[in-house]
């Protein structure tokens, strides 16, 4: 079948769901992934044809896209901070806002990392996107990554291998660990007594009451364990991680969070109350309160 014809079928079937522009992007992602054919090649060779089995692969993808399954899960991979990441339904698909958080940390700690080997902990690592892009760009750093989900940690370990970096992975529930410091000593027993220079987290932060704002492709496909918190205690992870950071950051160590845009001031107040200094709420490229940082005194 001629690829251009196939592209037309994608438009007929999917434009109403995704819009024309997005459908082109989805189609080109498929041609790159399944056929290793770049967008430019398609433009230069409009009569380019593919075999029957290849066509069938596209029709299968089309069916999944019609059901609004995220293309990243379909292809099993995505890109984050210029690096490749495997993803499946056990991990959140890394978001551009999170790249901004990573960028903030890299810019803030590059110099420091040249003179001392930074110890960094990423809490709720999911695909490992934060931990892996940090160690890739702060090559001296020793990075630890924690998640409650065994299945997510499997993906993160695969991604560490794929990107050729060393990370120490920890399976733990941060809420329990924050409440009971002897638990942390158990999980981190091999490295007893050390403190971190940087703790970072993009924890679950979407309230159930915000569900109507979430697109069906996210709601139906991405892990709810990674996304949702109770309406009546939406900062549960921020509170636990701040408590944990008080005990496990070095003096002058830094805490970084990705946050719920609607809860910026409340989340900031948590750090202020915990006597962090230079607490700063930062906006993402869309102008929403999205990042929070503070320094332990
Ligand atoms: C919003 S996702 C962030 C994933 C990844 N860091 C990112 O930025 O794309 C939150 C992660 O926290 C993990 N998580 C949820 N509850 C947890 C808990 N109690 N303790 C540790 N991790 C938890 C989830 O499994 C999920 O991977």
């Amino acid at each position: 079948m001629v690829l251009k014809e196939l592209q037309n079928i994608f438009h007929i079937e999917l434009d109403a769901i995704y819009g024309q522009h997005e459908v082109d992007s989805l189609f080109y992602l498929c041609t790159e992934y399944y056929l290793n054919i770049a967008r430019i090649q398609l433009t230069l060779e409009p009569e380019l044809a593919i075999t029957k089995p290849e066509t069938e692969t596209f029709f299968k993808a089309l069916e999944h896209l019609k059901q609004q399954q995220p293309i990243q899960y379909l292809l099993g991979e995505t890109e984050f901070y210029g690096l490749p990441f495997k993803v499946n339904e056990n991990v959140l698909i890394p978001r551009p806002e999170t790249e901004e958080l990573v960028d903030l940390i890299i810019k803030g700690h590059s110099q420091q990392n040249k003179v001392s080997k930074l110890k960094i902990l990423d809490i709720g690592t999911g695909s490992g996107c934060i931990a892996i892009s940090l160690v890739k760009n702060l090559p001296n750093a020793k990075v630890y990554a924690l998640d409650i989900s065994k299945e997510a940690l499997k993906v993160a370990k695969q991604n560490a291998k794929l990107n050729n970096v060393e990370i120490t992975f920890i399976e733990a529930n941060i809420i329990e660990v924050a409440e009971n410091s002897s638990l942390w000593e158990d999980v981190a027993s091999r490295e007893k007594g050390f403190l971190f220079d940087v703790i970072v987290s993009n924890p679950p932060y979407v309230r159930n009451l915000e569900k109507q704002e979430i697109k069906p492709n996210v709601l139906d496909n991405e892990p709810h364990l990674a996304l949702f918190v109770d309406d009546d205690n939406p900062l549960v992870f921020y509170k636990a991680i701040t408590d944990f950071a008080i005990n496990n950051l070095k003096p002058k160590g830094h805490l970084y969070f990705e946050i719920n845009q609607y809860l910026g001031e409340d989340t900031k107040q948590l750090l202020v109350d915990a006597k962090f200094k230079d607490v700063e709420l930062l906006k993402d490229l869309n102008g929403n309160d999205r990042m929070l940082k503070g320094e332990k005194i």
Side-chain angles (χ1 to χ4, degrees):
M1 183 174 211
V2 173
L3 266 172
K4 277 280 164 204
E5 269 174 48
L6 196 54
Q7 189 170 9
N8 278 340
I9 296 173
F10 266 55
H11 279 300
I12 292 164
E13 299 283 349
L14 300 175
D15 277 8
I17 307 172
Y18 296 98
Q20 199 181 351
H21 185 67
E22 176 77 11
V23 172
D24 277 331
S25 302
L26 293 170
F27 186 75
Y28 294 131
L29 277 170
C30 289
T31 60
E32 267 182 39
Y33 182 78
Y34 294 128
L35 308 168
N36 208 11
I37 290 178
R39 181 182 190 138
I40 179 78
Q41 203 176 335
L42 256 167
T43 319
L44 295 174
E45 294 179 64
E47 292 306 310
L48 208 63
I50 59 172
T51 63
K52 197 156 177 257
E54 286 169 341
T55 310
E56 276 161 15
T57 307
F58 272 77
F59 277 112
K60 268 193 205 135
L62 179 61
E63 278 316 304
H64 289 292
L65 290 170
K66 268 161 78 173
Q67 288 156 24
Q68 307 211 31
Q69 286 181 11
I71 184 87
Q72 295 90 339
Y73 288 156
L74 212 56
L75 306 181
E77 63 178 34
T78 189
E79 203 186 274
F80 179 86
Y81 212 76
L83 299 169
F85 283 87
K86 297 278 176 207
V87 287
N88 65 25
E89 64 291 341
N90 295 304
V91 298
L92 191 84
I93 297 165
R95 304 293 205 267
E97 303 88 277
T98 312
E99 291 181 312
E100 293 186 54
L101 179 69
V102 165
D103 201 53
L104 181 73
I105 301 172
I106 292 169
K107 291 201 169 116
H109 294 275
S110 286
Q111 276 312 106
Q112 188 189 2
N113 187 54
K114 282 184 191 148
V115 286
S116 71
K117 201 173 162 77
L118 289 180
K119 281 205 162 82
I120 301 178
L121 173 65
D122 171 27
I123 298 176
T125 198
S127 63
C129 60
I130 296 178
I132 290 167
S133 38
L134 285 177
V135 74
K136 214 56 194 172
N137 289 279
L138 298 169
N140 259 334
K142 171 87 187 103
V143 178
Y144 298 77
L146 177 153
D147 206 288
I148 195 172
S149 159
K150 220 187 250 319
E151 294 305 315
L153 285 170
K154 269 190 205 160
V155 177
K157 283 177 191 167
Q158 230 187 323
N159 283 325
K161 229 185 217 163
L162 178 69
N163 285 289
N164 211 10
V165 294
E166 285 280 330
I167 307 244
T168 302
F169 290 102
I170 300 164
E171 185 186 330
N173 179 342
I174 191 59
I175 306 280
E176 288 176 6
V177 162
E179 276 170 8
N180 182 347
S181 57
S182 66
L183 255 184
W184 176 244
E185 279 156 27
D186 289 345
V187 288
S189 58
R190 275 170 300 145
E191 329 251 353
K192 249 187 180 130
F194 74 80
L195 298 172
F196 294 100
D197 299 279
V198 171
I199 295 178
V200 52
S201 186
N202 172 20
Y205 61 66
V206 182
R207 289 171 292 179
N208 286 303
L209 61 86
E210 289 157 24
K211 266 189 180 158
Q212 69 267 25
E213 286 181 28
I214 308 274
K215 290 192 182 142
N217 60 342
V218 173
L219 206 53
D220 297 343
N221 293 285
E222 299 205 56
H224 286 200
L225 177 67
L227 287 167
F228 293 107
V229 283
D230 284 345
D231 289 351
D232 52 9
N233 196 7
L235 299 181
V236 56
F237 285 100
Y238 296 90
K239 176 79 181 78
I241 293 167
T242 303
D243 289 346
F244 176 85
I246 291 169
N247 295 325
N248 291 284
L249 269 178
K250 287 181 187 167
K252 293 187 189 273
H254 286 79
L255 177 58
Y256 290 89
F257 280 127
E258 179 171 319
I259 62 160
N260 182 324
Q261 59 180 315
Y262 304 118
L263 299 171
E265 286 303 330
D266 292 346
T267 321
K268 182 178 174 183
Q269 196 57 44
L270 269 183
L271 294 204
V272 173
D273 292 346
K275 306 276 182 288
F276 276 75
K277 68 170 194 167
D278 297 335
V279 179
E280 241 185 294
L281 198 52
L282 298 139
K283 291 192 190 300
D284 62 20
L285 287 174
N286 295 320
N288 297 318
D289 286 339
R290 185 66 65 200
M291 291 158 280
L292 183 65
K293 67 177 219 184
E295 183 179 321
K296 186 177 153 178
I297 44 175

